[in-house]
Amino acid sequence: MVDHLAFSQENRERIHTVENSFGPSGKTLFQPGRVLIGEGRLMKQSRRGPQPKAFFLFNDVLVYGSIILSGRWHKKQKIIRLEDIQLEDLEDSVRMRYQWLIRTPRKSFYVAASSYEEKRAWIEHIEDCRTKLLQNNNLKPGSTFAVTWIPDEASAICMRCSNKFSVTQRRHHCRKCGFVVCGACSKKRAMIRHIHPTKWLRVCNVCHPNLSGAETEPQDISRVRGDSTGKINSDEDEVDEGSFEEEGAEEQMEDHDPSRWMDSWSPYVYIKPEHMMPQT
């Protein structure tokens, strides 16, 4: 009984510490039965390159956010239910080592750890928590996931019409296929409900005809809304953390070369290996 009460108090304090790190903009994280399993920092691939993020694994959700003030405070909190997550192990790439893919209904993205051991720990602990959550609560795993966006730097031309991008010919992303496309090739909008239940999202001219009539707008939208960096308007940021410039300023990083941040980042901390409270 004493061990149970001690663990409950320590767990509550840990969760409140995570809550407070997000300030008033963060959502309440503490609730009965929720346990903080581990925390650490991962590199998250965004459309403009790798970005460092703070990740917190609970027994039922995965929480992450931007790092500000040398890692003492976090911003732009995202909460993902573990039953909605699907993981895929990946080989090393030129830009990111020790990476894997996190799929969710709203957004799918690549992350990378600072070592192979940390990568394996993250994947195994997320999968373990997810399995226990599904079994203990009779939940069904998610089956619909958002596509991963192809990074801006991966293509100098529109992936539909092959026109070259420039200051006036800006990059956009199709929400259905994730391709980097120009404005002319992505005037149409569609309702992709697993990404956003109420907003019309940008889709390319190839994906649009394959969607049902109930999912598509009756007319093209030709007004300027901004490019993939979100400089003009927010439709490119509906399912992203915000503009690259904003995140870069908050995190105060000189560059995003993994060889620079691996040496200084704290390792993944595995708080409660048993994934449960002590038996009474």
Side-chain angles (χ1 to χ4, degrees):
M1 184 65 178
V2 174
D3 289 343
H4 181 85
L5 292 175
F7 173 82
S8 297
Q9 180 61 30
E10 291 174 1
N11 178 64
R12 181 189 293 264
E13 291 174 356
R14 292 189 185 107
I15 294 178
H16 283 323
T17 298
V18 176
E19 284 182 351
N20 294 335
S21 74
F22 284 97
S25 63
K27 295 181 180 179
T28 300
L29 295 174
F30 180 79
Q31 64 180 46
R34 176 168 289 170
V35 177
L36 178 60
I37 302 299
E39 59 185 78
R41 301 176 187 177
L42 299 173
M43 214 63 164
K44 175 179 173 292
Q45 177 68 51
S46 72
R47 60 191 176 220
R48 294 294 300 275
Q51 295 283 331
K53 304 287 181 182
F55 279 78
F56 304 91
L57 174 61
F58 296 84
N59 59 339
D60 62 338
V61 294
L62 182 67
V63 178
Y64 72 91
S66 300
I67 302 169
I68 58 176
L69 296 180
S70 301
R72 296 181 182 179
W73 298 100
H74 307 114
K75 198 173 183 180
K76 298 184 179 179
Q77 181 192 69
K78 304 293 180 183
I79 303 174
I80 310 171
R81 298 183 305 181
L82 291 187
E83 65 264 32
D84 291 335
I85 285 179
Q86 183 185 76
L87 304 183
E88 180 181 345
D89 196 357
L90 300 172
E91 297 294 329
D92 292 349
S93 68
V94 175
R95 291 295 304 274
M96 294 177 68
R97 300 178 65 190
Y98 316 122
Q99 65 174 337
W100 69 98
L101 176 61
I102 298 179
R103 291 192 179 94
T104 79
R106 184 173 171 82
K107 185 176 179 66
S108 299
F109 51 91
Y110 301 95
V111 293
S114 61
S115 69
Y116 176 79
E117 290 74 21
E118 286 191 22
K119 169 186 172 177
R120 294 313 315 167
W122 273 107
I123 292 177
E124 290 172 7
H125 299 164
I126 292 173
E127 292 283 15
D128 191 22
C129 288
R130 181 175 179 274
T131 298
K132 287 181 169 63
L133 180 69
L134 293 173
Q135 292 176 346
N136 295 338
N137 296 277
N138 196 28
L139 298 174
K140 293 184 178 180
S143 58
T144 303
F145 306 100
V147 298
T148 53
W149 285 10
I150 295 175
D152 285 4
E153 63 186 20
S155 183
I157 61 174
C158 173
M159 301 179 76
R160 291 306 184 193
C161 71
S162 298
N163 284 337
K164 188 176 181 179
F165 292 120
S166 64
V167 175
T168 56
Q169 184 84 320
R170 295 182 171 180
R171 291 172 171 84
H172 302 274
H173 278 90
C174 172
R175 300 307 193 270
K176 184 66 176 177
C177 65
F179 278 23
V180 185
V181 293
C182 68
C185 290
S186 58
K187 290 182 178 181
K188 299 180 184 296
R189 298 294 185 271
M191 190 78 73
I192 307 176
R193 299 190 185 279
H194 64 87
I195 296 178
H196 200 293
T198 61
K199 289 187 177 181
W200 297 102
L201 304 178
R202 182 185 295 271
V203 295
C204 70
N205 296 343
V206 174
C207 291
H208 190 266
N210 298 323
L211 299 169
S212 68
E215 296 175 317
T216 60
E217 283 188 330
Q219 296 179 351
D220 294 355
I221 295 181
S222 58
R223 62 184 180 274
V224 177
R225 294 191 177 187
D227 66 357
S228 288
T229 62
K231 289 182 178 179
I232 295 178
N233 209 331
S234 61
D235 84 314
E236 292 290 342
D237 293 325
E238 290 163 354
V239 292
D240 203 38
E241 283 75 14
S243 70
F244 171 79
E245 290 80 7
E246 224 175 53
E247 289 188 351
E250 287 170 356
E251 290 154 2
Q252 300 176 356
M253 297 290 289
E254 294 180 359
D255 60 51
H256 301 293
D257 179 1
S259 65
R260 294 287 300 276
W261 61 264
M262 283 182 186
D263 293 337
S264 61
W265 278 36
S266 59
Y268 173 53
V269 179
Y270 194 25
I271 295 173
K272 190 61 182 176
E274 292 82 359
H275 292 189
M276 64 179 68
M277 295 185 182
Q279 297 296 319
T280 56

